[in-house]
Amino acid sequence: MARARLQDVADRAGVSLATASRVLNGSARQPGPDLVDRVRAAADDLGYVVNAQAQALARSRTGLLGLVVQDISDPYFSTIAAGAQAAARERGRMVLLASTDRDPAAERDAVAAFAGYRVDAVVVAGTRWSAAEDAPVAAEVAAFQASGGRVVVVGQPLGTAGVVHPPNVDGARALAEALVGQGHRRFVLLGAPERVVTARERTDAFAAAVARSGAEVVALVAEEFSRDGGFAAGDRVAELARAAAADGLDAPCVFAASDVMAIGLVARLRELGLAVPADVAVAGFDDIPTLRDHAPSLTTVRIPLEDMGRLAVAAAVAEDEGGYVEVAHEVVLRESTAR
C-alpha cells in the first residue's frame, strides 16, 4: 500500500493543499478549529506521517538542538547531557549529541555539522583551550549565530555565545580554605597541561588560597585531564608521599582538578600499596554522581551538573539572548581528607 501524501489528506478533508500543510506542519497561520479537526482526522484515517523538513520550513525552526560534549563517558559530561535532554523534552525539543574526545578540531566539526542539520541552537560543554585552538570553533559559532542560530557554552566564554560557567575559582578557593582548616599544610596540585583552561582556573585559585593561608604547595603534577591522567600521576604522588614519610613530614594532600582525575589517582595509589587518607589525602572537584560508590568517600566541590545542562538549554531556546550565569558551589568534606 502506497504511503499517504499530503495531497491525499487535503482531498479527504476537502481543503486545499496549502491549508492541509499549514495544519500539519505547525504553521503559525492556522485555519479555523473545524478545518483543523477535519485535516487531522483525515491524516489519522490515512496514516499520514508528517515530513519533518516541511514542518521545519513552516515553523522556521526544526525543533532540534545540538549538544557538543568533550567525553560522554565522563560522568561530568553525561550528567550535564542528562540535564540538557530533560530540559529539551520539557520544551518539545530533540537533542542531537556529539562527543569530541577532547579534540578542538572535532568540536569545530560538530558545530559545523549541526549547523548543516539546521538545528535551532547548539550547546557546547567543556573546557576552553588555547586561543589558537579555540579560534576555529569560535569562527563556526560566529557563522552559525550570523545565520540566526543560538549558541550557549557550558564552560568559559566563547565569542558572543551565552555562558553557563562552573564556579572554578570560587570553588577551588573555598576547598583550599576548608582543607587548611582541617589541618592540612602541604599540598600537591594535580592539574593538566596549561592549555586546559578549566584545570588551570582551578589549580591557580587553589594555589593562591593556600599561599594566603601560610600553607605550601610542594609540587605540581600535570597529566591528561581525565581518569587516566590521574592514574598516570600516581607514581609521582607516591614518591612525594614516601619522601615526606621518610623525612617525618605530614602526608601530602593532593588537590585533583576533577573528580575523575582523583579517582584515577586513588586507584593507582592503592596498587602501589598506599592508603588514602593515611598516606596521602586526596580531594577532587565536581561531585560527579558515581562518587556515591567510591571508597574512601571523596572530598570535593559540589556543583549542580544536571542543572547546568538545564540552564544551558533554557538559555538556548529563550527569546532573549543568553547572558552569563555562574552556578553555585558547596565544599563537601569526606573520608579522603580526614585527619
Side-chain angles (χ1 to χ4, degrees):
M1 181 177 177
R3 178 181 294 180
R5 301 169 303 153
L6 184 60
Q7 184 65 63
D8 298 327
V9 175
D11 291 345
R12 173 69 68 91
V15 299
S16 69
L17 183 63
T19 296
S21 176
R22 285 199 297 273
V23 172
L24 297 177
N25 290 323
S27 171
R29 295 174 56 240
Q30 291 286 297
D34 291 343
L35 283 181
V36 169
D37 290 344
R38 276 166 48 194
V39 170
R40 288 178 177 165
D44 289 343
D45 291 344
L46 294 170
Y48 176 74
V49 177
V50 173
N51 183 305
Q53 291 180 325
Q55 192 176 64
L57 288 171
R59 295 179 176 177
S60 298
R61 64 178 178 85
T62 61
L64 300 176
L65 305 178
L67 174 61
V68 184
V69 300
Q70 292 178 353
D71 182 2
I72 194 59
S73 68
D74 184 329
Y76 176 90
F77 291 108
S78 60
T79 307
I80 289 172
Q85 289 180 316
R89 282 195 302 271
E90 290 165 3
R91 293 163 173 79
R93 307 296 180 94
M94 181 68 68
V95 173
L96 305 180
L97 175 68
S99 183
T100 65
D101 293 328
R102 305 182 190 276
D103 180 353
E107 191 173 57
R108 174 205 62 208
D109 292 344
V111 174
F114 285 146
Y117 279 109
R118 300 184 66 249
V119 299
D120 300 327
V122 175
V123 174
V124 181
T127 186
R128 293 294 93 227
W129 311 98
S130 67
E133 288 175 301
D134 271 345
V137 70
E140 288 293 346
V141 164
F144 180 61
Q145 290 175 305
S147 69
R150 302 285 294 277
V151 181
V152 177
V153 297
V154 181
Q156 294 78 24
L158 182 64
T160 60
V163 180
V164 177
H165 191 263
N168 296 326
V169 172
D170 290 346
R173 180 189 302 125
L175 177 61
E177 292 168 352
L179 292 172
V180 170
Q182 278 192 311
H184 294 284
R185 305 295 297 173
R186 304 177 69 254
F187 293 92
V188 175
L189 303 182
L190 175 51
E194 184 74 11
R195 59 189 279 270
V196 182
V197 176
T198 293
R200 188 173 75 237
E201 287 181 342
R202 293 175 179 182
T203 54
D204 285 355
F206 189 95
V210 166
R212 284 193 299 272
S213 74
E216 64 176 330
V217 173
V218 299
L220 169 62
V221 182
E223 292 287 351
E224 181 185 343
F225 195 39
S226 66
R227 184 267 179 198
D228 291 344
F231 189 89
D235 292 76
R236 176 59 178 147
V237 171
E239 290 176 7
L240 294 167
R242 287 170 175 151
D247 293 340
L249 301 173
D250 288 344
C253 179
V254 180
F255 167 55
S258 71
D259 288 341
V260 293
M261 292 191 83
I263 289 171
L265 172 64
V266 172
R268 181 56 177 158
L269 293 175
R270 186 178 295 118
E271 287 186 358
L272 295 171
L274 275 69
V276 175
D279 300 315
V280 184
V282 178
F285 199 113
D286 295 325
D287 200 31
I288 55 176
T290 49
L291 288 189
R292 69 190 70 173
D293 300 319
H294 191 264
S297 57
L298 185 69
T299 289
T300 190
V301 177
R302 176 180 295 152
I303 60 177
L305 296 172
E306 188 167 333
D307 286 348
M308 288 160 60
R310 285 180 169 275
L311 287 168
V313 166
V317 302
E319 291 296 326
D320 55 336
E321 290 292 331
Y324 182 100
V325 176
E326 179 151 331
V327 298
H329 67 276
E330 177 187 359
V331 172
V332 184
L333 299 175
R334 297 189 177 115
E335 295 172 350
S336 66
T337 58
R339 289 177 62 84

